[in-house]
Amino acid sequence: MTSYDIAVLPGDGIGIEVMNAALEVLRALEPRIGRKFTTTVHPAGAQLYAETGTALPDSTLSACRKAHAILFGAMGLPHVRAKDGTEVIPQLDIRFALDLYAGVRPIRTWQGLPVPLRDPRAAEIDLVLVRESTEGLFFARGRGTIEGSGGDSYALDTMKITHKGTARVCDFALRLAEQRKATGKRGHVTNVDKANVFTSMAYWRDIFVERAKEFPAITTENAYVDAMALNLVMKPWQYDVLVTENMFGDILSDLIAALVGGMGMAPSADIGDEHAVFQPAHGTAPDIAGRGIANPSAMILSAAMMLDWLAVRHDDPTLADGARAIESALQKSFAQKEVMPFDFGGSSTTTDIANAVLRNL
Protein backbone atom coordinates (compact mmCIF):
# COMPACT_ATOMS: atom_id res chain seq x y z
CA MET A 1 0.00 0.00 0.00
CA THR A 2 1.36 3.41 -0.96
CA SER A 3 2.25 5.38 2.16
CA TYR A 4 2.69 9.09 2.81
CA ASP A 5 4.56 10.54 5.79
CA ILE A 6 2.68 13.43 7.38
CA ALA A 7 4.28 15.69 9.98
CA VAL A 8 1.58 16.64 12.49
CA LEU A 9 1.88 19.81 14.58
CA PRO A 10 -1.29 20.12 16.71
CA GLY A 11 -0.05 23.25 18.49
CA ASP A 12 -2.06 25.06 21.13
CA GLY A 13 -5.64 25.45 22.36
CA ILE A 14 -8.28 23.99 20.07
CA GLY A 15 -5.58 23.11 17.57
CA ILE A 16 -5.11 19.84 19.44
CA GLU A 17 -8.84 19.07 19.47
CA VAL A 18 -9.54 19.75 15.80
CA MET A 19 -6.38 17.91 14.76
CA ASN A 20 -7.58 14.77 16.54
CA ALA A 21 -10.82 14.95 14.55
CA ALA A 22 -9.00 15.35 11.24
CA LEU A 23 -6.67 12.44 11.97
CA GLU A 24 -9.67 10.22 12.72
CA VAL A 25 -11.08 11.08 9.30
CA LEU A 26 -7.78 10.33 7.56
CA ARG A 27 -7.50 6.98 9.34
CA ALA A 28 -11.04 6.06 8.28
CA LEU A 29 -10.25 7.05 4.70
CA GLU A 30 -7.17 4.82 4.41
CA PRO A 31 -8.91 1.48 3.69
CA ARG A 32 -11.43 3.17 1.42
CA ILE A 33 -8.78 4.51 -0.98
CA GLY A 34 -5.98 2.01 -0.36
CA ARG A 35 -3.47 4.56 0.91
CA LYS A 36 -1.58 4.80 4.19
CA PHE A 37 -0.94 8.04 6.08
CA THR A 38 1.89 7.70 8.58
CA THR A 39 1.26 10.58 10.95
CA THR A 40 3.93 11.61 13.45
CA VAL A 41 3.19 14.28 16.06
CA HIS A 42 5.91 16.88 16.67
CA PRO A 43 6.11 19.59 19.35
CA ALA A 44 5.74 23.28 18.52
CA GLY A 45 3.71 26.23 19.74
CA ALA A 46 3.33 28.99 22.28
CA GLN A 47 2.85 26.65 25.23
CA LEU A 48 6.07 24.87 24.31
CA TYR A 49 7.78 28.26 24.20
CA ALA A 50 6.44 29.11 27.66
CA GLU A 51 7.83 25.83 29.00
CA THR A 52 11.14 25.61 27.15
CA GLY A 53 11.90 28.97 25.55
CA THR A 54 11.65 27.38 22.08
CA ALA A 55 8.51 27.55 19.93
CA LEU A 56 9.79 25.57 16.94
CA PRO A 57 12.51 23.04 17.79
CA ASP A 58 15.10 22.24 15.12
CA SER A 59 13.98 18.59 15.25
CA THR A 60 10.41 19.59 14.39
CA LEU A 61 11.48 21.79 11.48
CA SER A 62 13.75 18.98 10.24
CA ALA A 63 10.82 16.54 10.36
CA CYS A 64 8.71 19.01 8.38
CA ARG A 65 11.37 19.17 5.69
CA LYS A 66 11.47 15.38 5.37
CA ALA A 67 7.71 14.74 5.42
CA HIS A 68 5.55 14.48 2.30
CA ALA A 69 3.26 17.14 3.80
CA ILE A 70 2.60 19.00 7.05
CA LEU A 71 -0.70 19.14 8.96
CA PHE A 72 -0.89 22.04 11.35
CA GLY A 73 -3.49 22.71 14.03
CA ALA A 74 -3.29 26.21 15.48
CA MET A 75 -0.56 28.00 17.42
CA GLY A 76 -0.26 31.02 19.64
CA LEU A 77 -1.62 32.08 23.02
CA PRO A 78 -2.41 35.72 23.85
CA HIS A 79 -0.53 35.65 27.16
CA VAL A 80 2.64 34.12 25.71
CA ARG A 81 4.81 36.84 24.20
CA ALA A 82 8.28 37.12 22.76
CA LYS A 83 10.78 39.61 24.15
CA ASP A 84 9.68 42.30 21.68
CA GLY A 85 6.07 42.04 22.91
CA THR A 86 4.69 40.22 19.86
CA GLU A 87 2.91 36.88 20.04
CA VAL A 88 4.83 33.67 19.58
CA ILE A 89 3.68 32.44 16.16
CA PRO A 90 5.87 29.59 14.86
CA GLN A 91 3.69 29.06 11.80
CA LEU A 92 5.26 32.21 10.38
CA ASP A 93 8.71 30.79 11.05
CA ILE A 94 7.76 27.65 9.10
CA ARG A 95 6.49 29.71 6.16
CA PHE A 96 9.77 31.59 5.88
CA ALA A 97 11.98 28.56 6.60
CA LEU A 98 10.30 26.40 3.93
CA ASP A 99 9.64 29.28 1.50
CA LEU A 100 5.88 28.70 1.49
CA TYR A 101 5.05 31.71 -0.64
CA ALA A 102 1.42 31.01 -1.64
CA GLY A 103 -1.16 31.26 1.12
CA VAL A 104 -4.28 29.61 -0.29
CA ARG A 105 -7.61 30.43 1.38
CA PRO A 106 -10.66 28.81 -0.31
CA ILE A 107 -14.14 29.84 0.81
CA ARG A 108 -17.54 28.49 -0.23
CA THR A 109 -21.03 28.33 1.18
CA TRP A 110 -22.32 25.01 2.51
CA GLN A 111 -25.87 23.80 2.12
CA GLY A 112 -27.43 23.48 5.56
CA LEU A 113 -25.31 26.16 7.23
CA PRO A 114 -26.67 29.69 7.67
CA VAL A 115 -24.78 32.66 6.24
CA PRO A 116 -24.94 36.30 7.35
CA LEU A 117 -25.78 37.69 3.90
CA ARG A 118 -29.49 37.69 3.07
CA ASP A 119 -29.07 37.93 -0.69
CA PRO A 120 -29.92 34.49 -2.18
CA ARG A 121 -26.83 34.78 -4.39
CA ALA A 122 -24.76 34.25 -1.25
CA ALA A 123 -25.37 30.54 -1.81
CA GLU A 124 -23.09 30.87 -4.86
CA ILE A 125 -19.98 32.05 -2.98
CA ASP A 126 -17.03 29.97 -4.16
CA LEU A 127 -13.73 31.83 -4.31
CA VAL A 128 -10.07 31.46 -3.41
CA LEU A 129 -7.83 34.14 -1.97
CA VAL A 130 -4.13 33.67 -2.74
CA ARG A 131 -1.94 35.58 -0.32
CA GLU A 132 1.79 36.14 -0.86
CA SER A 133 3.23 34.75 2.37
CA THR A 134 6.97 35.51 2.52
CA GLU A 135 7.25 39.22 1.72
CA GLY A 136 5.02 42.29 1.94
CA LEU A 137 4.58 43.96 5.30
CA PHE A 138 5.17 40.66 7.10
CA PHE A 139 8.79 40.91 5.93
CA ALA A 140 9.17 43.43 8.77
CA ARG A 141 8.51 40.79 11.44
CA GLY A 142 11.54 40.86 13.72
CA ARG A 143 13.08 43.71 11.72
CA GLY A 144 11.03 46.67 12.91
CA THR A 145 12.82 49.51 14.65
CA ILE A 146 11.90 52.27 17.08
CA GLU A 147 13.77 55.48 16.38
CA GLY A 148 14.26 58.61 18.44
CA SER A 149 13.16 59.03 22.04
CA GLY A 150 10.31 60.35 24.13
CA GLY A 151 7.67 62.35 22.31
CA ASP A 152 9.78 62.38 19.15
CA SER A 153 10.10 58.59 18.88
CA TYR A 154 8.57 56.59 16.06
CA ALA A 155 8.41 53.00 14.83
CA LEU A 156 9.30 51.76 11.34
CA ASP A 157 8.20 48.53 9.65
CA THR A 158 9.35 48.00 6.07
CA MET A 159 7.26 46.43 3.30
CA LYS A 160 9.29 44.38 0.82
CA ILE A 161 7.98 43.57 -2.66
CA THR A 162 10.34 41.75 -5.03
CA HIS A 163 9.85 40.91 -8.68
CA LYS A 164 10.56 37.22 -8.07
CA GLY A 165 8.24 36.94 -5.07
CA THR A 166 5.39 38.76 -6.75
CA ALA A 167 5.72 37.03 -10.12
CA ARG A 168 5.65 33.54 -8.64
CA VAL A 169 2.56 34.14 -6.49
CA CYS A 170 0.76 35.81 -9.41
CA ASP A 171 1.63 32.80 -11.58
CA PHE A 172 0.30 30.53 -8.85
CA ALA A 173 -3.03 32.41 -8.79
CA LEU A 174 -3.30 32.45 -12.57
CA ARG A 175 -2.60 28.70 -12.80
CA LEU A 176 -5.18 28.09 -10.09
CA ALA A 177 -7.71 30.02 -12.16
CA GLU A 178 -6.87 27.78 -15.12
CA GLN A 179 -7.51 24.70 -13.00
CA ARG A 180 -10.80 26.09 -11.73
CA LYS A 181 -11.87 27.04 -15.25
CA ALA A 182 -11.30 23.44 -16.34
CA THR A 183 -13.89 22.37 -13.74
CA GLY A 184 -16.50 24.85 -14.98
CA LYS A 185 -15.69 27.84 -12.80
CA ARG A 186 -15.15 31.34 -14.14
CA GLY A 187 -11.36 31.39 -14.60
CA HIS A 188 -10.89 34.97 -13.48
CA VAL A 189 -8.21 36.60 -11.29
CA THR A 190 -8.64 39.85 -9.41
CA ASN A 191 -5.43 41.53 -8.31
CA VAL A 192 -5.86 43.43 -5.02
CA ASP A 193 -3.42 46.21 -4.16
CA LYS A 194 -3.07 49.86 -3.14
CA ALA A 195 -1.29 51.04 -6.26
CA ASN A 196 -2.79 54.52 -6.05
CA VAL A 197 -0.76 55.31 -2.90
CA PHE A 198 2.33 53.14 -2.51
CA THR A 199 5.28 52.71 -4.87
CA SER A 200 5.59 49.10 -3.71
CA MET A 201 1.99 48.40 -4.69
CA ALA A 202 2.31 50.12 -8.08
CA TYR A 203 5.33 47.86 -8.65
CA TRP A 204 3.25 44.84 -7.58
CA ARG A 205 0.49 45.77 -10.05
CA ASP A 206 2.94 46.18 -12.92
CA ILE A 207 4.27 42.68 -12.28
CA PHE A 208 0.75 41.21 -12.11
CA VAL A 209 -0.20 42.81 -15.44
CA GLU A 210 3.05 41.52 -16.95
CA ARG A 211 2.48 37.94 -15.76
CA ALA A 212 -1.20 37.90 -16.76
CA LYS A 213 -0.17 38.26 -20.41
CA GLU A 214 1.21 34.72 -20.21
CA PHE A 215 -2.28 33.36 -19.40
CA PRO A 216 -4.48 34.61 -22.27
CA ALA A 217 -7.36 32.25 -21.41
CA ILE A 218 -7.76 33.86 -17.98
CA THR A 219 -9.59 37.16 -17.58
CA THR A 220 -8.16 39.61 -15.05
CA GLU A 221 -8.87 42.88 -13.31
CA ASN A 222 -7.26 45.16 -10.71
CA ALA A 223 -8.87 46.48 -7.53
CA TYR A 224 -7.83 48.62 -4.58
CA VAL A 225 -7.96 46.80 -1.27
CA ASP A 226 -10.41 49.21 0.37
CA ALA A 227 -12.88 48.89 -2.51
CA MET A 228 -12.39 45.13 -2.45
CA ALA A 229 -13.32 44.99 1.23
CA LEU A 230 -16.59 46.70 0.36
CA ASN A 231 -17.30 44.56 -2.72
CA LEU A 232 -16.60 41.31 -0.90
CA VAL A 233 -19.45 42.18 1.46
CA MET A 234 -21.78 43.52 -1.20
CA LYS A 235 -21.25 40.96 -4.00
CA PRO A 236 -18.79 38.18 -3.09
CA TRP A 237 -20.41 35.76 -5.56
CA GLN A 238 -18.83 37.73 -8.41
CA TYR A 239 -15.26 36.70 -7.53
CA ASP A 240 -13.25 33.64 -8.44
CA VAL A 241 -9.54 33.96 -7.54
CA LEU A 242 -8.03 36.91 -5.68
CA VAL A 243 -4.29 37.52 -5.35
CA THR A 244 -2.78 40.03 -2.97
CA GLU A 245 0.07 41.07 -0.68
CA ASN A 246 0.70 39.40 2.68
CA MET A 247 -0.96 41.88 5.06
CA PHE A 248 -3.92 42.60 2.79
CA GLY A 249 -4.42 38.85 2.42
CA ASP A 250 -4.27 38.34 6.17
CA ILE A 251 -7.13 40.79 6.66
CA LEU A 252 -9.28 39.83 3.69
CA SER A 253 -9.06 36.12 4.45
CA ASP A 254 -10.89 36.71 7.73
CA LEU A 255 -13.47 38.83 5.96
CA ILE A 256 -14.28 36.17 3.37
CA ALA A 257 -14.53 33.54 6.12
CA ALA A 258 -17.21 35.65 7.79
CA LEU A 259 -19.21 35.63 4.55
CA VAL A 260 -19.84 31.90 4.92
CA GLY A 261 -20.39 31.90 8.65
CA GLY A 262 -16.98 32.15 10.27
CA MET A 263 -13.49 30.78 10.67
CA GLY A 264 -14.78 27.32 11.51
CA MET A 265 -15.35 26.75 7.79
CA ALA A 266 -12.08 28.32 6.60
CA PRO A 267 -9.37 25.83 5.59
CA SER A 268 -6.04 27.01 4.24
CA ALA A 269 -2.69 25.97 2.86
CA ASP A 270 0.73 27.57 2.65
CA ILE A 271 2.41 26.16 -0.43
CA GLY A 272 5.92 26.40 -1.81
CA ASP A 273 7.75 24.66 -4.62
CA GLU A 274 8.90 21.77 -2.39
CA HIS A 275 6.81 21.82 0.79
CA ALA A 276 3.30 22.65 1.97
CA VAL A 277 1.51 23.20 5.28
CA PHE A 278 -2.23 22.65 5.65
CA GLN A 279 -4.09 24.25 8.53
CA PRO A 280 -7.39 25.84 9.53
CA ALA A 281 -7.32 29.61 9.16
CA HIS A 282 -8.65 30.07 12.70
CA GLY A 283 -6.61 30.61 15.83
CA THR A 284 -6.27 28.65 19.06
CA ALA A 285 -9.49 30.03 20.64
CA PRO A 286 -8.29 29.65 24.25
CA ASP A 287 -11.71 30.79 25.49
CA ILE A 288 -13.27 27.50 24.34
CA ALA A 289 -10.25 25.20 24.48
CA GLY A 290 -10.91 22.03 26.43
CA ARG A 291 -14.69 22.31 26.19
CA GLY A 292 -15.02 20.01 23.19
CA ILE A 293 -17.13 22.43 21.18
CA ALA A 294 -14.65 23.64 18.55
CA ASN A 295 -15.79 23.25 14.97
CA PRO A 296 -13.31 20.84 13.30
CA SER A 297 -14.59 21.45 9.77
CA ALA A 298 -11.80 23.83 8.74
CA MET A 299 -9.19 21.34 9.94
CA ILE A 300 -10.89 18.45 8.16
CA LEU A 301 -11.13 20.49 4.95
CA SER A 302 -7.46 21.43 5.29
CA ALA A 303 -6.67 17.71 5.34
CA ALA A 304 -8.66 17.38 2.12
CA MET A 305 -6.61 20.21 0.61
CA MET A 306 -3.50 18.26 1.60
CA LEU A 307 -4.75 15.23 -0.32
CA ASP A 308 -5.36 17.34 -3.42
CA TRP A 309 -1.83 18.76 -3.25
CA LEU A 310 -0.28 15.33 -2.74
CA ALA A 311 -2.35 13.94 -5.62
CA VAL A 312 -0.78 16.41 -8.04
CA ARG A 313 2.71 16.29 -6.57
CA HIS A 314 2.90 12.49 -6.62
CA ASP A 315 0.65 11.87 -9.63
CA ASP A 316 -1.75 9.90 -7.46
CA PRO A 317 -5.34 10.83 -8.45
CA THR A 318 -6.74 8.40 -5.89
CA LEU A 319 -5.81 10.95 -3.24
CA ALA A 320 -7.97 13.54 -4.99
CA ASP A 321 -10.83 11.03 -4.87
CA GLY A 322 -10.25 10.87 -1.12
CA ALA A 323 -10.43 14.65 -0.87
CA ARG A 324 -13.77 14.69 -2.68
CA ALA A 325 -15.05 11.93 -0.38
CA ILE A 326 -14.19 14.01 2.69
CA GLU A 327 -15.85 17.12 1.28
CA SER A 328 -18.96 15.17 0.29
CA ALA A 329 -19.21 13.55 3.71
CA LEU A 330 -19.00 16.94 5.41
CA GLN A 331 -21.52 18.45 3.02
CA LYS A 332 -23.97 15.62 3.65
CA SER A 333 -23.58 16.05 7.41
CA PHE A 334 -24.73 19.65 7.16
CA ALA A 335 -27.26 19.29 4.36
CA GLN A 336 -29.10 16.51 6.17
CA LYS A 337 -29.06 18.53 9.41
CA GLU A 338 -27.18 15.79 11.24
CA VAL A 339 -25.00 18.39 12.98
CA MET A 340 -24.86 22.13 13.55
CA PRO A 341 -21.65 23.62 14.99
CA PHE A 342 -21.67 25.89 18.03
CA ASP A 343 -20.27 28.78 15.97
CA PHE A 344 -23.41 28.55 13.81
CA GLY A 345 -25.74 28.59 16.79
CA GLY A 346 -25.98 24.81 17.12
CA SER A 347 -24.97 22.39 19.85
CA SER A 348 -22.89 19.79 17.99
CA THR A 349 -19.57 19.02 19.64
CA THR A 350 -16.23 18.46 17.95
CA THR A 351 -16.79 14.74 18.32
CA ASP A 352 -20.34 14.95 16.93
CA ILE A 353 -19.13 16.59 13.73
CA ALA A 354 -16.21 14.20 13.30
CA ASN A 355 -18.52 11.22 13.82
CA ALA A 356 -21.00 12.54 11.26
CA VAL A 357 -18.23 12.82 8.69
CA LEU A 358 -17.07 9.29 9.53
CA ARG A 359 -20.60 7.93 9.06
CA ASN A 360 -21.00 9.67 5.73
CA LEU A 361 -17.67 8.48 4.39
Side-chain angles (χ1 to χ4, degrees):
M1 181 183 293
T2 303
S3 179
Y4 294 94
D5 293 324
I6 312 299
V8 176
L9 282 63
D12 303 303
I14 65 168
I16 299 168
E17 300 167 44
V18 298
M19 179 65 78
N20 288 338
L23 293 180
E24 281 190 64
V25 172
L26 283 178
R27 284 192 289 268
L29 187 68
E30 288 176 325
R32 290 162 171 75
I33 63 172
R35 298 293 184 270
K36 174 69 176 176
F37 304 107
T38 302
T39 56
T40 306
V41 175
H42 300 279
Q47 186 59 45
L48 182 69
Y49 178 86
E51 295 170 357
T52 68
T54 301
L56 182 64
D58 291 342
S59 58
T60 296
L61 186 56
S62 177
C64 289
R65 293 185 189 277
K66 295 174 183 177
H68 288 108
I70 305 153
L71 267 185
F72 196 101
M75 293 190 188
L77 295 170
H79 65 281
V80 179
R81 301 274 170 168
K83 293 179 181 179
D84 64 357
T86 60
E87 278 196 43
V88 175
I89 314 175
Q91 56 265 45
L92 297 185
D93 299 321
I94 292 176
R95 287 177 199 165
F96 286 102
L98 302 184
D99 199 23
L100 308 179
Y101 59 86
V104 184
R105 311 291 192 262
I107 285 295
R108 52 167 286 199
T109 43
W110 293 80
Q111 183 183 355
L113 292 182
V115 295
L117 299 181
R118 295 183 179 179
D119 193 303
R121 289 172 291 181
E124 302 168 14
I125 296 172
D126 184 348
L127 61 88
V128 184
L129 185 147
V130 178
R131 165 192 177 190
E132 200 294 316
S133 290
T134 61
E135 298 183 346
L137 193 54
F138 273 63
F139 169 80
R141 180 174 180 256
R143 298 182 174 92
T145 61
I146 298 178
E147 309 291 341
S149 61
D152 294 324
S153 63
Y154 55 93
L156 291 175
D157 285 316
T158 302
M159 177 184 288
K160 181 179 180 180
I161 301 293
T162 70
H163 189 283
K164 176 184 176 182
T166 305
R168 67 182 181 178
V169 79
C170 289
D171 283 355
F172 186 100
L174 290 157
R175 286 195 299 269
L176 178 60
E178 285 183 330
Q179 295 164 13
R180 286 170 62 85
K181 187 174 184 179
T183 66
K185 295 184 173 64
R186 183 179 175 192
H188 182 83
V189 179
T190 304
N191 165 57
V192 183
D193 59 39
K194 196 62 177 169
N196 57 332
V197 175
F198 298 110
T199 299
S200 59
M201 289 284 90
Y203 182 60
W204 167 288
R205 179 176 289 201
D206 287 344
I207 296 168
F208 172 78
V209 171
E210 169 193 308
R211 296 309 307 152
K213 293 175 183 177
E214 301 297 318
F215 298 82
I218 300 304
T219 57
T220 63
E221 64 180 331
N222 298 295
Y224 297 138
V225 65
D226 46 342
M228 179 54 60
L230 181 147
N231 287 335
L232 282 171
V233 173
M234 299 296 292
K235 47 186 179 182
W237 45 84
Q238 290 192 356
Y239 295 101
D240 184 20
V241 177
L242 313 178
V243 63
T244 192
E245 177 272 338
N246 209 335
M247 176 62 83
F248 294 161
D250 188 31
I251 296 167
L252 292 180
S253 62
D254 278 25
L255 188 156
I256 60 175
L259 299 176
V260 299
M263 301 299 285
M265 299 306 300
S268 77
D270 290 293
I271 299 174
D273 292 333
E274 299 297 330
H275 306 281
V277 169
F278 301 87
Q279 66 179 103
H282 61 65
T284 59
D287 57 323
I288 63 168
R291 295 173 57 190
I293 62 172
N295 183 356
S297 299
M299 184 75 250
I300 292 170
L301 291 170
S302 297
M305 290 181 71
M306 178 187 73
L307 297 183
D308 276 327
W309 182 78
L310 287 170
V312 173
R313 185 167 179 80
H314 296 280
D315 191 22
D316 188 353
T318 297
L319 295 174
D321 294 339
R324 302 291 79 72
I326 290 174
E327 292 173 349
S328 296
L330 187 63
Q331 174 65 86
K332 184 179 289 187
S333 301
F334 295 136
Q336 295 183 351
K337 304 294 184 182
E338 296 178 35
V339 287
M340 181 63 68
F342 270 79
D343 47 332
F344 284 83
S347 58
S348 299
T349 65
T350 309
T351 300
D352 291 337
I353 296 170
N355 285 343
V357 174
L358 294 173
R359 286 194 303 272
N360 287 315
L361 272 176

